[in-house]
C-alpha cells in the first residue's frame, strides 16, 4: 500500500476572516456565482458580510436553506436548488452537518467547495468526507469524495462568540485523533484516503494532542470571556485543521467506531459528535489497555473542560446492558472502524471496555 496524504488546498484562519472571502476566492482563481448553504442562525449572522464582500468584488451569490440533518434527502434537495439557480462555487457555512451537506452537493455537481465552519466543533471541515445520517439522526454511512475543500475559511471572531459547548465538543473530537492514528499506524490499516499514514499525518496527530492538552483549558476560559487569544486560536486550529487532517490521513479506529455505534442508541441523540467521541476515547484506551497515567491524563482533561467520561453523561446507563450489548455488536460489524485496531476486537471486549471506562469515569 502507498502512503497517501490529503488536505484542503488552502486554510485561512483569523479574526474577521469572512471579510477576506472574495480575495481568497480570487487568489484561488474561483469565479462565478456562489451558492451559500447555511442554517437560519448563521445566515442572520453573516449574510450582510457576504453581501458586502462579494458585492464589492462583483461576485454573485444566492442563499440555499438547510433543514438541520445531513441526510440523502437534504443533499439531493440542496443539489437541486444549486443546479436550478446555477452556481460555479458552493460554500457551506455552519456546523458539521451543514458543511457535510454542502460538500456532498458540491461533489455531485463537480463544483469547487468553500468550507466556512462557524463553530470549532468537529474534525470535518478540512476533510473530503460527508457523514450521512438518517432523517432521525442515526449514523448511516460516510461518503468519501475525490477532492478536499478548495478553501477552508475560519473566522475566529464568529467562533469565539458561538456556543461554548460546541467548542468543548471539538476538543473531544480532537482528543481522539492521535490515539486513532497511532492504532492505524501500528496495525498497518489504511487511513480514510486509501493509503498508509505519512510522517506528516502522524506528526499532525501528535501536535493535535499536545495543543489540546497544553492550551485547551486556557482556550476554554478565554472563550468564556469571548476573547480570541493566541491559546484560543491554537485550539481552533487543533479542532479544525490538525484534527481534520489527522483523522483523514492518519486514520480512525476504536473511538470513532464506538461513536458510530452509539448513535443507534436514542439516549445519545442529544449529545454532540465530539462529546460521544470523547467517551469513545475513554473506551478506546480501555480496549487498548493503555497505561493508567495516560488514561488519567486524558480523563482529567475531559473532566476539567466538561467532556463526558461516564455512560450517564452521554445518555446511556450501565444498568441498561441490552443497549450496551447492541452498541457493542454494532461496533464490531464487518467493516467497522474498530477493526483498524492492531488486534482483534470482540463485542464482549467492547462491552467490558465500556463498563470499565464508565467505572473509571465515576471514580470507582
Ligand atoms: Zn470526528
Amino acid at each position: 500500500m502507498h502512503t497517501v496524504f490529503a488536505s484542503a488546498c488552502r486554510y485561512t484562519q483569523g479574526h474577521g476572516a469572512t471579510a477576506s472571502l472574495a480575495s481568497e476566492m480570487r487568489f484561488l482563481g474561483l469565479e462565478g456565482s456562489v451558492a451559500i448553504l447555511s442554517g437560519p442562525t448563521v445566515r442572520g449572522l453573516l449574510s450582510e458580510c457576504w453581501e458586502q464582500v462579494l458585492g464589492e468584488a462583483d461576485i454573485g451569490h444566492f442563499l440555499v436553506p438547510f433543514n438541520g440533518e445531513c441526510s440523502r434527502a437534504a443533499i439531493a434537495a440542496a443539489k437541486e436548488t444549486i443546479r436550478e439557480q446555477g452556481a460555479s462555487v458552493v460554500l457551506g457555512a455552519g456546523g458539521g452537518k451543514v458543511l457535510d451537506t454542502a460538500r456532498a452537493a458540491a461533489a455531485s455537481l463537480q463544483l469547487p467547495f468553500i468550507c466556512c465552519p462557524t463553530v470549532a466543533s468537529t474534525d470535518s471541515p478540512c476533510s473530503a468526507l460527508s457523514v450521512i445520517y438518517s432523517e432521525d439522526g442515526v449514523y448511516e454511512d460516510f461518503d468519501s469524495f475525490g477532492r478536499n475543500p478548495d478553501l477552508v475559511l475560519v473566522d475566529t471572531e464568529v467562533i469565539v462568540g458561538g456556543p461554548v459547548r460546541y467548542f468543548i465538543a471539538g476538543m473531544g473530537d480532537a482528543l481522539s485523533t492521535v490515539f486513532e492514528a497511532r492504532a492505524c499506524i501500528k496495525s498497518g490499516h489504511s487511513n480514510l484516503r486509501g493509503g498508509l499514514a505519512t510522517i506528516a499525518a502522524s506528526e499532525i496527530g501528535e501536535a493535535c494532542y499536545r495543543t489540546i492538552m497544553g492550551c485547551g483549558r486556557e482556550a476554554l476560559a478565554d472563550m468564556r470571556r469571548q476573547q480570541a487569544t493566541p491559546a484560543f486560536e491554537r485550539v481552533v486550529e487543533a479542532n479544525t485543521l490538525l484534527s481534520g487532517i489527522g483523522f483523514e490521513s492518519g486514520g480512525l479506529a476504536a473511538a470513532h467506531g464506538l461513536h458510530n455505534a452509539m448513535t443507534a442508541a436514542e439516549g445519545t441523540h442529544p449529545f454532540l459528535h465530539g462529546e460521544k467521541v470523547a467517551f469513545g476515547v475513554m473506551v478506546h484506551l480501555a480496549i487498548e489497555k493503555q497505561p493508567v497515567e495516560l488514561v488519567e491524563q486524558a480523563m482529567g482533561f475531559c473532566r476539567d473542560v466538561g467532556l463526558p467520561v461516564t455512560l450517564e453523561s452521554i445518555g446511556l446507563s450501565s444498568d441498561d446492558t441490552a443497549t450496551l450489548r447492541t452498541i457493542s455488536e454494532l461496533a464490531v460489524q464487518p467493516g467497522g472502524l474498530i477493526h483498524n485496531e492492531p488486534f482483534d476486537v470482540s463485542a464482549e471486549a467492547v462491552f467490558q471496555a465500556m463498563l470499565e471506562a464508565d467505572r473509571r469515569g465515576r471514580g470507582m
Side-chain angles (χ1 to χ4, degrees), residues 123 173 256 273:
D123 52 15
D173 207 11
H256 272 77
H273 171 81

Side-chain angles (χ1 to χ4, degrees), residues 122-124 173 176 243 247 252 256 273 277:
T122 74
D123 52 15
S124 93
D173 207 11
S176 74
S243 182
F247 98 79
L252 291 175
H256 272 77
H273 171 81
V277 171

